[in-house]
Amino acid sequence: MASTEHPRVSPSPTAETTSPQTTLAITDIVVLVIYFILVLAVGLWVGASLFASNVGSGHFIGLAGSGAAAGIAATAYEWNGMLMVLLLGWLFLPIYIASSVDMYAGAVFIQQALHWNIYLATVIMVVGALILMGFKVGGFQAVLDKYPQAIPSIRVPNTTCGIPREDAFHIFRHPVTSDLPWPGVILGMSIPSMWYWCSDQVIVQRSLASKNIVHAKGGSLLAAYLKVLPFFMMVIPGMISRILYPDEVGCGDPDVCKEVCENPVGCSDIAYAKLVMELLPAGLRGLMMAVMLAALMSSLTSIFNSSSTIFTMDLWRNIRRTATEWELMIVGRVFVLVLVVVSVLWIPVVQASQGGQLFIYIQSISMYLQPPITVIFFTGIFWKRTNEKGAFWGLIVGMVVGCTRMILDFVYPTPQCYESDTRPEIIKYVHYLYFSIILTVLTLIVVTIENATQFPKDMENDACPTKEDTSSSASSEAGSSKLKSALFWICGMEKQKGEKPKSPPPEAPTCSLKEDPCMRHVVNANLIICISVAVFLFAYWA
């Protein structure tokens, strides 16, 4: 055919048969290499995004402070996150991707709204932390040997003030008398962690922005591997800081602590900042402080904007339905101002809570507020009989009980090393990690009872009718019972009078559930490796 239409072109049979095959083979190899590079790059991008969203200035200050104050036990929160982010990639993302186009739209918005300075600041903080990790005191073995001897020269006599914990290098600690009991680490810690890693919109929507499920799983894997780093970048530098500056970081006298950091409870939270200011060279020191402030401002901006939006759109707009856009803007700004004032007034409470450890304070608050949300979220996804009433009362009861315990913790703070423990037994002997377990069980019981009373057994498999059922039954049975009408309303099938039928939303290019067989085997193999690494780390330092 080619020789007939183009007589001047007369390639030899050898060239005609072999050259195209050679060209195609090279192209195939190039495309394959580019594909694997792109998969790796996207996985790195998603994983770095997840890690950057999780790690901020609070981690550096809080984890280093907890390391200086009590050893490596706080690392359990990070290594627990390794397992939870894998749960996101392998269990929850397929559910999200298959069920919601709106989530995809939100993910695209979040992806387009991201700024490079977040990632750049994170990279600089990580590099700075790795440099600080190099300022060891004679190697890792020296840290193990010298940390128990990091005792301040001035401390309250005949007390444990200023003396490092004997179990400082253990993650699993005594189930009754320790600061982080091991049963609570295994169970109570995992519940809020599931909420954060598997349902928080900041984390989930970054994963939903992936091209396909393999990319999302790869990002979860990278984020899980990166969660190993805080032990070396934050906790160990905090312990080094206490070794180098025992009188300041590990102060054991309230008057000395007040003079050092204006907090008589303790100064362990200055551990990381102390290293930065004392050990890093001038240029790098300023850069580290700048990016940490930028990360802090970014976090505060996100929190204040989200809180302001929730207040103005979900509360104020319902109170004043005729509010103009100008009024909503003014109300939002005033609410942010109120939040700032409350936050400043709350600083003394944070200083006095949990022995002055910022990271532990944050985690304890999570244990009081997040378990009910986790239970509602999980039952809503995995239990078909979950209904609105059960979710509502489970959330209300859980929140009331959790807030009550949180208030009691503020009223009866943890006694200092020189004080006797006179707290009520319910606070003294029920650790906040144990309370997380209790609160989870209580919320689950309330949800179960409400669901059992709301739905008869014969409706268990047909609680929410399909669209075909509603279109036929709603039109033919105008005078249906109140129960059926309420049921349609709960399931979102209610149709307003005179409302035109809504056309189906246009299909959006959602993240695909299809997996390349080769890459599926790669990520699944890495899943096993990553879980093994997490189990090994827990077992080695247990």
Side-chain angles (χ1 to χ4, degrees), residues 265-492:
V265 173
C267 295
S268 58
D269 280 339
I270 72 168
Y272 196 83
K274 187 73 174 177
L275 279 185
V276 170
M277 298 305 295
E278 297 289 341
L279 298 182
L280 290 184
L284 186 57
R285 180 175 62 215
L287 185 61
M288 277 291 291
M289 298 305 294
V291 297
M292 292 189 72
L293 288 175
L296 175 63
M297 295 303 295
S298 176
S299 300
L300 290 177
T301 300
S302 300
I303 293 171
F304 288 149
N305 285 341
S306 299
S307 302
S308 173
T309 301
I310 292 173
F311 179 80
T312 55
M313 304 305 292
D314 294 342
L315 295 178
W316 188 262
R317 191 171 243 179
N318 287 330
I319 297 174
R320 284 185 50 83
R321 298 183 181 276
T322 58
T324 63
E325 294 296 327
W326 177 262
E327 179 182 345
L328 293 176
M329 181 186 68
I330 297 299
V331 170
R333 291 182 177 181
V334 172
F335 185 73
V336 170
L337 181 62
V338 172
L339 285 181
V340 172
V341 174
V342 172
S343 300
V344 172
L345 296 177
W346 197 256
I347 290 177
V349 177
V350 178
Q351 287 182 323
S353 298
Q354 300 299 332
Q357 298 184 54
L358 174 64
F359 188 78
I360 301 301
Y361 165 78
I362 296 173
Q363 300 305 324
S364 65
I365 297 299
S366 300
M367 303 300 161
Y368 303 145
L369 302 179
Q370 293 174 0
I373 304 175
T374 305
V375 171
I376 301 304
F377 184 77
F378 270 69
T379 54
I381 290 180
F382 297 109
W383 192 23
K384 294 181 180 180
R385 293 191 61 181
T386 304
N387 57 67
E388 183 181 5
K389 184 178 179 183
F392 174 79
W393 285 110
L395 194 62
I396 291 297
V397 172
M399 285 296 181
V400 169
V401 174
C403 290
T404 301
R405 171 59 192 262
M406 182 176 65
I407 294 172
L408 290 176
D409 269 4
F410 295 146
V411 175
Y412 301 99
T414 304
Q416 300 306 307
C417 52
Y418 52 86
E419 298 175 338
S420 59
D421 195 345
T422 59
R423 296 176 297 170
E425 294 185 355
I426 188 65
I427 301 176
K428 180 178 180 180
Y429 295 112
V430 181
H431 193 273
Y432 64 82
L433 289 175
Y434 289 148
F435 182 81
S436 173
I437 302 173
I438 297 172
L439 189 57
T440 300
V441 174
L442 175 63
T443 306
L444 185 59
I445 291 174
V446 173
V447 172
T448 304
I449 293 175
E450 287 296 333
N451 289 339
T453 57
Q454 182 75 6
F455 287 94
K457 291 184 178 180
D458 58 353
M459 298 181 63
E460 181 175 356
N461 297 324
D462 193 21
C464 291
T466 60
K467 290 184 178 180
E468 291 79 4
D469 294 334
T470 56
S471 60
S472 60
S473 61
S475 60
S476 61
E477 299 179 8
S480 59
S481 64
K482 294 183 179 180
L483 177 62
K484 185 177 291 187
S485 300
L487 189 61
F488 288 158
W489 180 79
I490 292 174
C491 296

Side-chain angles (χ1 to χ4, degrees), residues 44-87:
L44 290 172
W45 174 265
V46 176
S49 176
L50 293 175
F51 188 71
S53 302
N54 171 241
V55 175
S57 57
H59 262 72
F60 283 87
I61 299 299
L63 266 180
S66 293
I72 69 171
T75 313
Y77 288 99
E78 302 302 300
W79 293 346
N80 180 276
M82 292 178 63
L83 302 175
M84 295 303 110
V85 72
L86 296 177
L87 195 67

Side-chain angles (χ1 to χ4, degrees), residues 169-234:
F169 290 94
H170 296 280
I171 287 183
F172 288 175
R173 299 180 174 180
H174 194 279
V176 178
T177 60
S178 68
D179 58 335
L180 290 175
W182 68 264
V185 169
I186 295 176
L187 297 176
M189 187 181 291
S190 300
I191 297 164
S193 186
M194 286 182 189
W195 170 84
Y196 177 80
W197 287 105
C198 299
S199 66
D200 184 82
Q201 82 167 27
V202 175
I203 300 297
V204 172
Q205 288 188 337
R206 277 167 169 76
S207 298
L208 288 172
S210 304
K211 180 180 178 180
N212 55 48
I213 191 65
V214 174
H215 289 175
K217 289 181 177 180
S220 295
L221 279 169
L222 179 61
Y225 283 123
L226 289 175
K227 293 297 285 183
V228 178
L229 295 181
F231 174 72
F232 301 99
M233 297 191 314
M234 305 168 196

